[in-house]
Amino acid sequence: MRFEYDIEAGNFSKAGDASSAFKKVLKQLNVDPQVIKRIVIALYEGEVNIVAHSYGGKIVCDIEPKKVSIVLKDTGPGIPNIEQAMQEGFSTATPAVREMGFGAGMGLCNMNRNANAMNITSSAEDGTRVELIINL
Amino acid sequence: MGQAHFSHALKVDPHICFGCSRCMVSCPTEAIRIKKGKAVIYEDRCVDCGECYRSCPVHAIYIKQDDFEKIHMFSHKIALVPHVFFGQFPSQFTQNDIKNAILGAGFTDVVEVEQSVPFLIEQINKYVKKHAEDKPIISSFCPAIVRLIQVKFPSLTSNILLLKPPLDITAYNTRKRLVDQGIDNSDIGLFYITPCAAKIAAIKSPVGEEESQIDGVINMDTLFNRTFTYLSNNKNKMEINREYSKLNFRSRRWPLTEGESKYIKGNNFAIDGIHNVIDFLEKIEDDEVPGVDYLELRACIESCVGGVLLTTNKFLIAERIKNNNDEPEVIKVQNFIHDKEYLESHIAVNKVEPRNIMSLDDNIEKAMQKLTTISDLMKILPQTDCSACGAPNCNALANDIANNESTIEQCIFIQKNMEAENKLKPEESYEILSDIWGKNKFSKYKNLKK
């Protein structure tokens, strides 16, 4: 089963809408509450990343009986150094974004921590694609 | 819907209910449907918050209490009274007058529920410190919120504080004190004077506890009327004149919003009103609010002074409680706590289990099929949320259909369309609607001229 959500760049008032909508689906599917927690935390971090750092993007969630796969794809500008971006506390967020309570540099590592598998590809031309797998 | 395995205090009187749907629309957990012209409460979804009671224009929803005469089954008839009770009375009556009037109404002693608050605050502070990894800790005080979390936020059940609320601690304290004085346990009757439905439900089927210490529950408006009558009849001279100790400031503040959060160490939030709580818990569940230590969440606006069984305006009561500065601050917790060690060994409750009402099926593949059905139905349904189908909104109808508890013909938009396409006869359509709203609803239109 597939669910798709368009994410607008820079619209912080809507950051979290996709994760909330998908959370409702997971509850309807009676997914273990602790697994829902992990999925939603990872998804929310990814959603905020698209809002805060990208030119906009899309989240596609596929549910199968044994796992959830989530692809977060944006249109740029890409992450120059993925290894550095994965480090806890590393952030390129502007002071304005930080003032809104985002941009603490926990996003990618939090996603990694809550997923069973994570795969990032990024380039200046194609933007960033993060794939998350969470087992049910 | 799953089976009912929870006792509820909120009941619908079918003789009074005329099927208006206000309760159904106001219910935060979509626990009400209209069937044959009457409101029906789904017991597995109801959290006893009392929103339906508030919205009913004809008082068809009532709160089932114990018979007042039950107090006379015990030689020691103790009224466990929440502090908000006193805020309902005009300021000419002192708290001591009111307590004596409760004795006049038939009780042999009055104990204020919040006596145990200083002890509990001390215990909560220890608990929060010890459970740093489970943050935020969510208060277990409001039973409607505990049930709300069980049914709507299952992943947060593990955050609920596993300590008893003031009522239970005070009940243990009072009973132990009397037994130690040589009174037979079976002679002690502890009666809780409740401001809301949720507290009754929590006593009749406790969450995380084996059994309650409370022998009966009396609705607050019932005792208010009896007490007020006694006070009015004894205006010039009180027959009973016992001197009672008073609660300290923290204890008096406990039932108000911020009554907990201010006294627990850490970065805390106090949120009142069930819809506000739902909004906030959505954020907590997504981990959108980092660094929160303790959450005081209460179903009623202005907390317990907003309970449905209070007889006076909630803002007036809150103001009276806040302004009640005539009482000295000298009373210490030790004055009320009889046996601290005994209470410490009885303060814990068992883990609170989730019971997700949003789940469509235990089997994920079946649940996915149902979800597909719902999403297909939502493309057809009018999205007007008119509730003419007997469900609170289009989405709830789609859920009911997916669960084989309703049919798509219940939607009047679809009915009209089916009639126009000759797929449904007008008399069949009439039957469907009268099955939802009852035959009486349609009888008055018999001679209506065009």
Side-chain angles (χ1 to χ4, degrees):
Chain A
M1 252 188 133
R2 172 165 286 197
F3 296 85
E4 299 185 350
Y5 308 95
D6 287 319
I7 310 298
E8 211 180 311
N11 192 346
F12 287 93
S13 66
K14 283 191 181 166
D17 285 10
S19 350
S20 288
F22 193 59
K23 179 175 73 182
K24 196 181 160 207
V25 168
L26 296 170
K27 284 183 186 177
Q28 287 177 301
L29 298 179
N30 202 30
V31 173
D32 181 315
Q34 296 312 320
V35 178
I36 295 184
K37 210 177 205 171
R38 283 171 42 218
I39 297 174
V40 172
I41 290 172
L43 183 56
Y44 176 72
E45 293 287 3
E47 188 180 351
V48 171
N49 277 348
I50 299 179
V51 175
H53 302 292
S54 83
Y55 305 142
K58 193 170 193 164
I59 298 177
V60 179
C61 305
D62 279 301
I63 309 175
E64 291 165 55
K66 300 265 179 239
K67 68 171 186 188
V68 171
S69 325
I70 299 171
V71 174
L72 305 106
K73 175 90 187 71
D74 66 43
T75 50
I79 305 170
N81 184 342
I82 293 175
E83 208 176 301
Q84 195 180 31
M86 289 289 292
Q87 282 168 19
E88 216 166 282
F90 178 82
S91 174
T92 55
T94 60
V97 168
R98 282 166 181 265
E99 240 168 60
M100 293 167 83
F102 302 100
M106 301 299 288
L108 286 175
C109 47
N110 229 348
M111 288 164 79
N112 194 27
R113 195 167 31 237
N114 285 291
N116 293 94
M118 179 162 111
N119 187 12
I120 311 182
T121 51
S122 187
S123 72
E125 301 79 43
D126 299 329
T128 303
R129 181 183 184 279
V130 181
E131 189 181 3
L132 300 168
I133 308 279
I134 293 137
N135 298 334
L136 296 182
Chain B
M1 301 289 149
Q3 338 135 291
H5 39 279
F6 287 88
S7 159
H8 292 284
L10 290 160
K11 306 281 173 196
V12 182
D13 185 338
H15 302 294
I16 304 175
C17 176
F18 67 103
C20 71
S21 83
R22 285 173 180 82
C23 58
M24 178 170 78
V25 174
S26 72
C27 175
T29 57
E30 297 178 346
I32 300 178
R33 300 291 182 274
I34 307 293
K35 288 179 179 171
K36 301 204 185 305
K38 309 289 173 194
V40 177
I41 302 177
Y42 286 170
E43 302 215 328
D44 55 341
R45 299 184 76 99
C46 173
V47 298
D48 291 280
C49 67
E51 290 300 309
C52 53
Y53 182 97
R54 257 185 245 280
S55 67
C56 182
V58 293
H59 304 291
I61 293 177
Y62 64 96
I63 295 177
K64 199 167 169 277
Q65 62 178 329
D66 286 307
D67 181 6
F68 194 85
E69 298 310 312
K70 193 180 165 188
I71 69 169
H72 300 301
M73 287 165 60
F74 302 88
S75 55
H76 290 77
K77 318 170 218 304
I78 320 286
L80 298 177
V81 185
H83 189 66
V84 294
F85 183 77
F86 303 99
Q88 300 176 102
F89 292 83
S91 52
Q92 75 209 64
F93 300 110
T94 66
Q95 273 185 42
N96 218 56
D97 286 344
I98 300 164
K99 283 177 185 167
N100 281 309
I102 294 173
L103 301 182
F107 286 98
T108 59
D109 203 359
V110 181
V111 171
E112 279 194 72
V113 167
E114 291 84 359
Q115 278 189 355
S116 54
V117 162
F119 168 76
L120 177 59
I121 290 176
E122 192 184 303
Q123 300 294 320
I124 297 177
N125 274 318
K126 276 190 205 162
Y127 184 101
V128 173
K129 211 170 161 187
K130 200 173 149 194
H131 293 80
E133 74 286 1
D134 300 327
K135 282 179 184 171
I137 303 290
I138 301 175
S139 167
S140 58
F141 172 63
C142 177
I145 298 298
V146 171
R147 289 177 179 220
L148 175 79
I149 291 172
Q150 283 184 292
V151 302
K152 239 178 133 82
F153 300 96
S155 74
L156 297 176
T157 48
S158 54
N159 295 68
I160 296 173
L161 173 78
L162 298 180
L163 298 180
K164 290 189 172 81
L167 169 64
D168 302 55
I169 303 170
T170 299
Y172 271 96
N173 187 51
T174 307
R175 192 177 289 278
K176 181 78 166 47
R177 178 168 49 83
L178 293 173
V179 168
D180 286 353
Q181 282 169 15
I183 296 162
D184 197 296
N185 195 14
S186 61
D187 288 337
I188 305 165
L190 299 180
F191 288 84
Y192 178 53
I193 313 305
T194 187
C196 66
K199 296 276 186 191
I200 303 188
I203 289 164
K204 303 287 177 190
S205 61
V207 176
E209 271 184 80
E210 265 70 63
E211 62 174 327
S212 175
Q213 290 287 308
I214 313 294
D215 298 290
V217 184
I218 307 293
N219 289 350
M220 194 166 275
D221 51 354
T222 303
L223 186 69
F224 175 82
N225 290 338
R226 285 176 185 250
T227 310
F228 201 72
T229 306
Y230 185 88
L231 282 169
S232 310
N233 293 343
N234 294 274
K235 225 180 262 172
N236 301 322
K237 196 177 175 301
M238 289 286 285
E239 275 174 32
I240 309 169
N241 225 331
R242 207 185 288 177
E243 272 297 320
Y244 273 96
S245 304
K246 288 155 187 169
L247 293 182
N248 73 0
F249 183 76
R250 283 184 182 191
S251 308
R252 298 199 304 266
R253 282 284 181 129
W254 175 275
L256 304 179
T257 300
E258 294 191 334
E260 281 172 81
S261 64
K262 283 233 157 143
Y263 304 107
I264 310 299
K265 289 187 193 86
N267 178 24
N268 307 334
F269 279 87
I271 292 158
D272 60 9
I274 193 156
H275 294 284
N276 299 332
V277 169
I278 290 172
D279 281 352
F280 200 78
L281 287 178
E282 292 283 353
K283 297 210 170 292
I284 291 291
E285 205 173 34
D286 301 354
D287 218 13
E288 286 182 50
V289 198
V292 181
D293 294 305
Y294 189 79
L295 286 175
E296 168 198 316
L297 307 175
R298 291 162 177 198
C300 295
I301 292 191
E302 292 286 310
S303 294
C304 297
V305 294
V308 294
L309 291 169
L310 274 88
T311 54
T312 313
N313 180 283
K314 51 181 167 284
F315 299 103
L316 286 176
I317 304 176
E319 203 50 33
R320 280 178 192 159
I321 291 177
K322 284 178 196 163
N323 288 338
N324 196 344
N325 292 326
D326 60 325
E327 292 152 25
E329 200 61 27
V330 293
I331 316 295
K332 293 280 189 315
V333 52
Q334 285 78 4
N335 287 14
F336 293 116
I337 298 301
H338 167 69
D339 184 341
K340 198 173 172 187
E341 268 177 38
Y342 172 79
L343 291 184
E344 277 171 348
S345 65
H346 284 84
I347 197 171
V349 294
N350 298 331
K351 204 171 142 231
V352 177
E353 296 296 338
R355 44 185 191 94
N356 178 10
I357 50 166
M358 296 167 80
S359 163
L360 294 166
D361 207 291
D362 289 344
N363 176 307
I364 191 164
E365 286 174 54
K366 281 187 189 158
M368 279 161 82
Q369 282 166 11
K370 286 184 183 176
L371 196 57
T372 310
T373 308
I374 292 168
S375 112
D376 292 345
L377 284 166
M378 287 307 283
K379 288 174 195 145
I380 310 168
L381 292 172
Q383 317 266 355
T384 51
D385 292 347
C386 66
S387 21
C389 59
N393 53 55
C394 295
N395 197 290
L397 176 65
N399 266 273
D400 289 354
I401 296 171
N403 282 314
N404 293 322
E405 285 169 354
S406 197
T407 58
I408 194 150
E409 293 85 14
Q410 291 198 205
C411 170
I412 51 163
F413 288 81
I414 291 180
Q415 264 180 41
K416 288 289 144 209
N417 204 46
M418 289 173 85
E419 277 181 54
E421 290 177 352
N422 292 322
K423 287 177 186 160
L424 195 71
K425 291 179 194 150
E427 52 273 27
E428 286 172 329
S429 155
Y430 178 88
E431 266 313 303
I432 294 168
L433 274 185
S434 54
D435 207 40
I436 303 167
W437 295 98
K439 292 229 180 321
N440 284 345
K441 266 273 187 293
F442 298 92
S443 56
K444 56 186 169 190
Y445 308 120
K446 283 264 157 66
N447 301 315
L448 205 64
K449 291 192 181 84
K450 201 175 177 183

